Amino acid sequence: MSSRIENCFRALKQSQHIAFMPFITAGDPDLQLTKSLIGELADRGVDLIEVGFPYSDPIADGPVIQSSYTRALEQQIHVREIFSAVGELDTQSLPPLVAMVSYAIIFRIGAENFVAQAAQAGFSGLIAPDLPGDEAAEFFQVVRARNLDLIQLVAPTTPRDRVKQILNSCSGFVYCIAVSGTTGVREQVADELLAQLRWLREETDLPLCVGFGISQPEHIDPLRDLADGAIVGSGIVRHLQDLADGKSDRDSVIKTIGNFAARMSTTCHSE
């Protein structure tokens, strides 16, 4: 049976559209706002939504997302509360939700238990950035048994032999890191990324989605004909800092993020 993520990309390919996938932090500043943002993003035409599970030692996130995680953790947010909040949504009517979650959290809860809860809450896929992609075979089977997808990350610096191993335990799409280093807003798309995307096109039929540094509509055009999706994290989460600093109220932040998402979706969906 096809997963929701597979069906999503199949429909986008038929329409010759690039997927737009925003990232938000669960629980920053609280889960009620998280639910409101998910609804707003869905209404603005995004294709998938990545939900970050706050963690005290994120492996690849830049300062904007780290700060967001810290604010959520200061509220003593728990995984069970995230699952409960997401489970209150009508997830079948929403774009597929993808959990970005440290494998340290998954391991503590237990792989089978965590994946079962994720599926019940309505998530369609998982990204575990600190689980080595070439060591993920066992967890991949656990995830696929629930008809969820395990999305793997590859960077321009990942050796190609290792990329081939990673692809063996990957489904849904490949998360292609745009640049070496951590997440954050950058000015342009690196040539080394474009070269890797061309190579990956020959190695896998999985959709290729680009994240880390994608932050504005101008970043989309170089990806056309090479990538199947664009992921934006810091470019969205930074608006939650304005809320934390008292520079914006909740409604304004939701509207600002929604307007940005609408512009990005329109760009991704234009031919």
Side-chain angles (χ1 to χ4, degrees), residues 64-269:
V64 171
I65 293 177
Q66 286 185 20
S67 296
S68 182
Y69 278 5
T70 297
R71 291 192 297 270
L73 290 170
E74 286 173 348
Q75 304 303 314
Q76 298 184 327
I77 189 170
H78 294 285
V79 170
R80 65 177 178 274
E81 294 170 335
I82 298 174
F83 283 144
S84 177
V86 171
E88 292 170 0
L89 302 171
D90 181 10
T91 53
Q92 288 302 308
S93 68
L94 294 171
L97 303 180
V98 178
M100 169 73 89
V101 55
S102 168
Y103 193 73
I105 294 174
I106 296 171
F107 182 80
R108 185 175 70 242
I109 293 173
E112 296 270 4
N113 189 15
F114 184 93
V115 174
Q117 291 183 60
Q120 184 175 11
F123 282 95
S124 297
L126 304 174
I127 306 169
D130 51 350
L131 175 64
D134 51 358
E135 299 177 15
E138 183 176 348
F139 186 56
F140 178 70
Q141 297 302 322
V142 173
V143 174
R144 294 300 292 144
R146 294 279 181 175
N147 202 37
L148 272 61
D149 287 303
L150 180 62
I151 293 103
Q152 299 282 17
L153 291 86
V154 298
T157 54
T158 307
R160 291 188 172 183
D161 286 347
R162 189 159 182 260
V163 172
K164 292 178 180 180
Q165 290 180 298
I166 291 170
L167 293 174
N168 290 331
S169 298
C170 182
S171 65
F173 62 89
V174 183
Y175 192 130
C176 303
I177 298 173
V179 291
S180 302
T182 58
T183 59
V185 175
R186 291 176 173 83
E187 294 302 320
Q188 58 188 5
V189 176
D191 289 340
E192 60 185 359
L193 166 69
L194 301 181
Q196 188 192 51
L197 290 173
R198 293 186 187 97
W199 178 77
L200 280 167
R201 277 288 186 220
E202 303 298 321
E203 297 296 322
T204 181
D205 292 328
L206 289 170
L208 309 176
C209 296
V210 178
F212 286 48
I214 304 299
S215 62
Q216 52 197 19
E218 291 76 14
H219 289 160
I220 302 302
D221 280 343
L223 303 178
R224 296 190 189 280
D225 300 322
L226 291 175
D228 302 285
I231 304 167
V232 174
S234 298
I236 285 179
V237 174
R238 64 186 175 87
H239 295 294
L240 297 175
Q241 182 68 56
D242 293 339
L243 180 59
D245 293 341
K247 296 178 180 178
S248 295
D249 59 31
R250 296 168 74 97
D251 289 343
S252 296
V253 166
I254 291 171
K255 183 177 180 181
T256 297
I257 290 175
N259 288 340
F260 173 80
R263 289 196 302 273
M264 292 296 291
S265 292
T266 298
T267 302
C268 287
H269 295 165

Side-chain angles (χ1 to χ4, degrees), residues 23-44:
F23 169 98
I24 59 172
T25 298
D28 180 18
D30 53 56
L31 287 168
Q32 185 56 53
L33 185 69
T34 301
K35 292 194 295 182
S36 296
L37 278 176
I38 290 173
E40 176 74 7
L41 292 168
D43 289 343
R44 296 304 193 107

Side-chain angles (χ1 to χ4, degrees), residues 8 12 17-22 41 45-49 95-96 265 268-269:
C8 173
L12 286 165
H17 290 168
I18 295 175
F20 175 57
M21 184 187 325
L41 292 168
V46 309
D47 301 295
L48 305 96
I49 301 173
S265 292
C268 287
H269 295 165

